[in-house]
Amino acid sequence: MNEQDFAYKVRHALNERLEDLPENISARLADARSMAVKRKKKSRPLYVSLFQQMFAGASAGTSGHVSWTGRLGLSLPILVLVVGMAGIFHHEQQRQIREIADIDIAVLSDELPPSAYADNGFRAYIVDRTGV
């Protein structure tokens, strides 16, 4: 049972029998309550970091104004993602171009003419000879 539930149950039980309590106990309870209120910690605003605010959907300022750090906090990861994806795309394009160029170099530097590779009979001859 957590503290709030316990406090609620005690308060409810005391309120039920409030009229039946002797006056000296009511006075002691009033004194205890006033002491508890004095000891209560003052509520302080919690520190919330910029990233927590941005990911929670809150604005950076209290007036709804988003500061430049808030905009940077949102736009920088998006910019890094776009640049990274563009780099990956460019790298994959260059890899495909190199693979095609290697095949072209192998075909053109071979002793056989390129038309031999298109001939079905030659393809059958190569398969029979190599066993592949």
Side-chain angles (χ1 to χ4, degrees):
M1 184 182 315
N2 63 24
E3 291 179 18
Q4 287 182 339
D5 289 338
F6 178 72
Y8 175 76
K9 289 179 181 179
V10 168
R11 182 184 62 143
H12 186 65
L14 288 174
N15 284 339
E16 283 180 356
R17 306 280 184 202
L18 188 61
E19 283 79 27
D20 297 341
L21 289 175
E23 194 166 319
N24 64 346
I25 293 178
S26 297
R28 285 178 45 200
L29 286 173
D31 290 340
R33 183 181 188 286
S34 66
M35 285 176 52
V37 168
K38 288 178 186 175
R39 287 185 187 172
K40 181 182 179 255
K41 293 180 182 178
K42 303 291 182 196
S43 61
R44 297 181 299 172
L46 296 175
Y47 172 76
V48 179
S49 71
L50 177 66
F51 291 112
Q52 288 171 337
Q53 287 179 354
M54 289 298 116
F55 290 126
S59 63
T62 56
S63 65
H65 172 70
V66 179
S67 66
W68 67 271
T69 56
R71 289 189 187 120
L72 181 65
L74 285 176
S75 61
L76 187 61
I78 293 171
L79 179 66
V80 168
L81 179 67
V82 167
V83 169
M85 293 299 286
I88 290 171
F89 178 74
H90 178 71
H91 175 73
E92 286 299 315
Q93 269 189 330
Q94 293 300 318
R95 186 183 60 80
Q96 287 177 351
I97 290 171
R98 282 191 304 271
E99 286 178 0
I100 292 171
D102 290 342
I103 292 171
D104 287 345
I105 289 171
V107 167
L108 293 175
S109 65
D110 197 8
E111 294 178 3
L112 295 174
S115 61
Y117 292 104
D119 184 15
N120 288 334
F122 181 72
R123 189 175 312 140
Y125 170 73
I126 294 293
V127 169
D128 286 341
R129 190 162 187 216
T130 59
V132 178

